Amino acid sequence: MPSLVELVQSLVNGVGIGLVYGLIAIGFCVIYNASGIVNFAQGVFVMLGGMFTHAMLIKLGWPLAVSALVSIVAVAGIGVLVQLAIVRPMWNRKAPLFAIILATLAVQLLIEQIVILTMGDQPRTYPDFTPGGPLKIGDIAISYQLFWILGCGALMVLLLTLFFNRTRAGRALRACSQNREAAALLGVPVDAMLMLSFALSAALGAAAGILITPTQYTAYGVGAPFGTNGFIAAIIGGFGSAPAALLGGVLLGVVQSGAIVVVGAGYKNVVALTILLVVLLFFPQGIFGGRGKKA
């Protein structure tokens, strides 16, 4: 039986990884609400954020802030490229959404192979943003990186909320999520909004990868598990709301961390998938959000 200290420590760790899941989940929500597409390449954006930042920070010697910013912009550009080269042609040909979703999965596999060939298959990491630590509160250790994850996560949700509610582009994106055909008749550039949704989603994934890499590692294969957990978090929280998706990620992270302490690491994914099934059965619109409230 785990001690109280172990349980509290797992709770702290779970909040950190859960916030990252939440950022990935918001990326899923942005694209889904704009187009109805579930972008299964979302996890690869997380991997690319960490990989690009490592290359610029460690190999090129660039400052952390510059490396992170350039990485986010570069990954957002890759998201736009995916939309222009893969999604938009299929969208314009009226391809079934199922086919487009499968195409995004193929994009993830393709990018993973390109990363192996160009950057190698070895895991890599870089130091915490703030050196030193961890912060000790009794027997509980809190990494300084957790505060970065918490602060940046809250800031990004706030900025997204302001973007969707206060800017013309954000309101246009919300209009597309409500009814794309009506939005087009009202003069909203639906194709441009879909491209913007992919850029935002990729940028969020990259930011999540940059924040989590110092606490773990990044490698070509981390995209799939991060993408899967982000997708589960979006379903738990609700695809219609960014704050709800973030809360879904935190809940998933805390439950997974608790499962590792209580029943063992091998059951972490079993617990996550069990929660997913329960939510789909009893809360099909998510626990915290729901389809009716847009991000």
Side-chain angles (χ1 to χ4, degrees), residues 83-84 86-95 100 191 194:
Q83 195 274 333
L84 291 176
I86 307 296
V87 175
R88 180 176 291 185
M90 298 182 71
W91 182 274
N92 290 338
R93 292 198 303 269
K94 309 294 184 183
I100 300 177
D191 284 344
L194 184 56

Side-chain angles (χ1 to χ4, degrees), residues 237-254:
F239 262 98
S241 166
L246 190 70
L247 288 173
V250 172
L251 176 60
L252 177 62
V254 167

Side-chain angles (χ1 to χ4, degrees), residues 63-227:
L64 173 61
V66 175
S67 301
L69 182 60
V70 172
S71 296
I72 290 172
V73 173
V75 177
I78 292 173
V80 170
L81 182 62
V82 169
Q83 195 274 333
L84 291 176
I86 307 296
V87 175
R88 180 176 291 185
M90 298 182 71
W91 182 274
N92 290 338
R93 292 198 303 269
K94 309 294 184 183
L97 281 179
F98 179 69
I100 300 177
I101 292 170
L102 287 180
T104 65
L105 179 60
V107 166
Q108 168 152 323
L109 299 174
L110 174 63
I111 293 177
E112 286 178 352
Q113 293 304 308
I114 292 173
V115 168
I116 293 175
L117 293 173
T118 57
M119 305 182 75
D121 60 355
Q122 295 302 307
R124 56 202 71 191
T125 188
Y126 42 84
D128 288 1
F129 295 178
T130 301
L135 175 67
K136 297 283 287 186
I137 302 177
D139 293 327
I140 307 301
I142 305 176
S143 168
Y144 289 155
Q145 190 66 22
L146 175 60
F147 295 105
W148 279 99
I149 294 172
L150 179 62
C152 292
L155 177 62
M156 281 186 275
V157 170
L158 174 62
L159 291 176
L160 274 175
T161 301
L162 292 174
F163 169 77
F164 280 112
N165 292 325
R166 301 291 180 86
T167 69
R168 186 173 181 178
R171 288 192 290 267
L173 201 53
R174 292 181 66 191
C176 290
S177 72
Q178 296 287 346
N179 189 314
R180 288 183 293 279
E181 290 76 14
L185 290 174
L186 292 173
V188 174
V190 175
D191 284 344
M193 291 301 101
L194 184 56
M195 183 174 65
L196 175 61
S197 71
F198 269 82
L200 284 173
S201 177
L204 284 167
I210 292 166
L211 290 168
I212 197 61
T213 296
T215 70
Q216 301 185 0
Y217 67 89
T218 188
Y220 76 94
V222 303
F226 273 122

